Amino acid sequence: MKELTAEQKELVALVREFVDREVLPVASKFDHADEFPTDLVEQMKEIGLFGITIPEEFGGLGLDLYTYALIVRELSRGWISLSGVINTHFMAAWMLMTYGTEEQKATYLPRMATGESRSAYSMTEPHAGSDVQAIRTRAVRDGDEYVITGQKMWATNGLRADLAMILTVTDPTAEPRHRGMTAFLIEKEPSVSEQPGITVPPQLKKLGYKGVESTEIVFDGFRVPATAVLGGEEMVGQGFKQFMAAVELGRVNVAARAVGLATCALEQAVKYAKERETFGKPIAKHQAIQMKIAKMATNLRAAELLMLEAAELKATGARADLEAGMAKLFATEVAMENASEAMRIHGGYGYSQEFMVERLYRDAPLLVLGEGTNEIQQIVIAARVLADN
Ligand SMILES: Cc1cc2nc3c(=O)[nH]c(=O)nc-3n(C[C@H](O)[C@H](O)[C@H](O)COP(=O)(O)OP(=O)(O)OC[C@H]3O[C@@H](n4cnc5c(N)ncnc54)[C@H](O)[C@@H]3O)c2cc1C
């Protein structure tokens, strides 16, 4: 795998230390209270985590996607909700860096790099998740403006973000439908549930992935200047492609989160197995437990290798749908399994809120659903395998 520079190694080590010292001791407390971790997020800003991949000329750290994946893994070893705070922001920043006009980059990237501005990334709607081409949110041209009406669903950071990258339909007659879709980078009031043209209803209640909010965003005649089209007027009709490219990136991200969570599950399982005694010896001495540990560690290693391969490939700019899909599929299933096995190794205590494995058990399922469900990953993988062979 890729050799890191001294600077990259130092940053990854710094995040690991931050997670050990500041995150692991309190993550479950924030999770149980479903509380946004303001202080932790401030520390993430200070470390520079909101601008990891934003070029130095715009005030970011200018690091590559591979380093980003390693950092996401470390954060998620502590708590996947922390990576959730930066992931939609990172995807919106990547879209801006890749497709934005020079003016859009100069306006937004500097404040995104510091975390002063935070972005959501929103394509899902109440009736359309996997089937993105079925979205209905309309953006209608009116002079120098577009008027947006429709409803977004499951927008991570949907309340606190002051920016949102959204996918809309600008030409409902287009065939195929995706040619009539356009991406907008909109500005909104952060932490405000009602503003002219936008309502953010109370956050959705979830099984896990707490602390970071998931919301609907309702647009009702929300006006944006035509300059808010991502990449400018010539990019009208290109939104679907832009969002799909970002999703590929998101899949590497989710694989990295899954590896982080699965690592934490293994660490907690090993620690407990050495401490807990039954029948006169630590449970780690029982072969049944050793077999679980061996499988968890082996699957974790395989997931890590797939994730690193996908991250390395995507960082070169090459097509990586197959590799990202495989990494996302495998790593997230491993996260589910490791979380479940870690809980079982804890016996009855695994079911109690005293031990962090119950949080991992509730957090892991998000990973098989988000950024394209694992059923959809298998469709993507099979399409490539069938085409290439
Ligand atoms: C906590 C959370 C945070 C999220 N954050 C964001 C966000 O920030 N931005 C955003 O845009 N979205 C976000 N999402 C939405 C997420 O990406 C979607 O929920 C996901 O893509 C699935 O869509 P759906 O829920 O509509 O399920 P559906 O598409 O309705 O799927 C239902 C079931 O059918 C299966 N299925 C669907 N089509 C097929 C097919 N062709 N073949 C086989 N099986 C199929 C699916 O795999 C699934 O099992 C988030 C979701 C959650 C839960």
Side-chain angles (χ1 to χ4, degrees):
M1 287 296 131
K2 198 174 154 182
E3 186 57 31
L4 297 183
T5 63
E7 187 199 9
Q8 289 167 322
K9 276 187 196 154
E10 202 180 304
L11 182 61
V12 174
L14 184 69
V15 176
R16 190 174 185 85
E17 207 181 287
F18 163 69
V19 164
D20 282 336
R21 196 185 56 242
E22 305 288 340
V23 179
L24 282 165
V26 297
S28 292
K29 178 174 80 71
F30 280 108
D31 166 270
H32 295 152
D34 200 359
E35 183 183 337
F36 186 78
T38 307
D39 288 348
L40 296 178
V41 172
E42 287 306 312
Q43 291 183 62
M44 285 161 61
K45 282 185 193 168
E46 277 164 32
I47 299 173
L49 299 189
F50 283 82
I52 300 171
T53 53
I54 295 177
E56 283 171 311
E57 59 174 306
F58 295 112
L61 299 179
L63 296 171
D64 62 3
L65 299 176
Y66 189 80
T67 317
Y68 182 78
L70 296 180
I71 288 167
V72 168
R73 175 180 68 179
E74 295 304 334
L75 281 178
S76 304
R77 182 179 147 263
W79 186 19
I80 62 163
S81 295
L82 286 186
S83 68
V85 172
I86 59 170
N87 273 340
T88 58
H89 179 82
F90 155 77
M91 284 161 76
W94 180 84
M95 289 175 80
L96 201 48
M97 289 175 328
T98 309
Y99 305 109
T101 62
E102 290 312 312
E103 198 187 331
Q104 287 171 336
K105 290 182 202 173
T107 305
Y108 297 114
L109 288 176
R111 52 192 238 226
M112 289 177 83
T114 58
E116 176 198 337
S117 262
R118 290 182 37 210
S119 186
Y121 162 97
S122 182
M123 55 183 184
T124 304
E125 298 187 0
H127 62 283
S130 307
D131 186 4
V132 178
Q133 295 198 48
I135 64 160
R136 294 179 193 146
T137 295
R138 284 295 314 273
V140 179
R141 183 81 193 223
D142 182 20
D144 290 341
E145 295 181 323
Y146 280 87
V147 183
I148 301 176
T149 300
Q151 188 175 351
K152 292 294 175 187
M153 181 77 187
W154 289 119
T156 304
N157 299 303
L159 180 66
R160 290 179 177 83
D162 61 341
L163 298 173
M165 190 69 80
I166 61 163
L167 186 61
T168 67
V169 178
T170 39
D171 178 4
T173 63
E175 276 300 331
R177 278 183 61 82
H178 69 77
R179 292 218 182 107
M181 295 186 179
T182 301
F184 287 84
L185 182 59
I186 62 143
E187 297 190 37
K188 62 186 266 300
E189 290 291 320
S191 304
V192 166
S193 53
E194 291 277 353
Q195 69 174 91
I198 297 188
T199 304
V200 180
Q203 69 182 68
L204 299 157
K205 300 237 181 266
K206 297 170 289 190
L207 172 69
Y209 198 43
K210 300 201 182 222
V212 58
E213 79 274 15
S214 308
T215 71
E216 292 165 63
I217 306 180
V218 183
F219 297 96
D220 185 8
F222 180 65
R223 288 185 169 267
V224 289
T227 51
V229 171
L230 177 65
E233 294 283 327
E234 65 269 29
M235 290 292 187
V236 168
Q238 298 296 311
F240 181 81
K241 282 189 195 152
Q242 294 167 334
F243 265 78
M244 288 303 115
V247 157
E248 203 174 283
L249 197 71
R251 287 178 184 160
V252 177
N253 250 320
V254 175
R257 285 200 216 185
V259 170
L261 189 150
T263 303
C264 184
L266 177 64
E267 287 172 359
Q268 295 304 313
V270 167
K271 181 167 174 281
Y272 190 79
K274 288 180 177 173
E275 287 167 7
R276 177 72 173 175
E277 293 194 0
T278 66
F279 302 97
K281 54 186 175 186
I283 59 170
K285 298 269 184 205
H286 297 306
Q287 272 191 353
I289 299 295
Q290 289 172 1
M291 287 164 78
K292 285 184 190 292
I293 302 271
K295 197 161 172 228
M296 289 167 79
T298 307
N299 281 343
L300 172 60
R301 185 71 185 132
E304 192 170 34
L305 291 172
L306 279 174
M307 182 277 283
L308 293 173
E309 181 197 49
E312 194 172 347
L313 187 67
K314 188 71 192 163
T316 65
R319 179 177 179 178
D321 55 345
L322 179 70
E323 293 76 8
M326 285 179 168
K328 196 270 178 184
L329 171 66
F330 189 79
T332 58
E333 295 293 345
V334 168
M336 287 278 279
E337 195 177 325
N338 277 15
S340 170
E341 289 295 68
M343 190 193 64
R344 293 173 74 166
I345 288 173
H346 280 66
Y349 291 104
Y351 205 62
S352 123
Q353 290 196 344
E354 247 180 79
F355 289 85
M356 75 171 78
V357 290
E358 64 83 30
R359 171 170 60 79
L360 304 181
Y361 187 76
R362 288 182 290 103
D363 278 348
L366 167 70
L367 302 168
V368 304
L369 299 171
E371 306 296 352
T373 64
N374 280 6
E375 289 76 18
I376 297 295
Q377 300 313 311
Q378 289 172 72
I379 293 171
V380 171
I381 294 165
R384 273 292 299 278
V385 173
L386 290 167
D388 293 352
N389 293 285

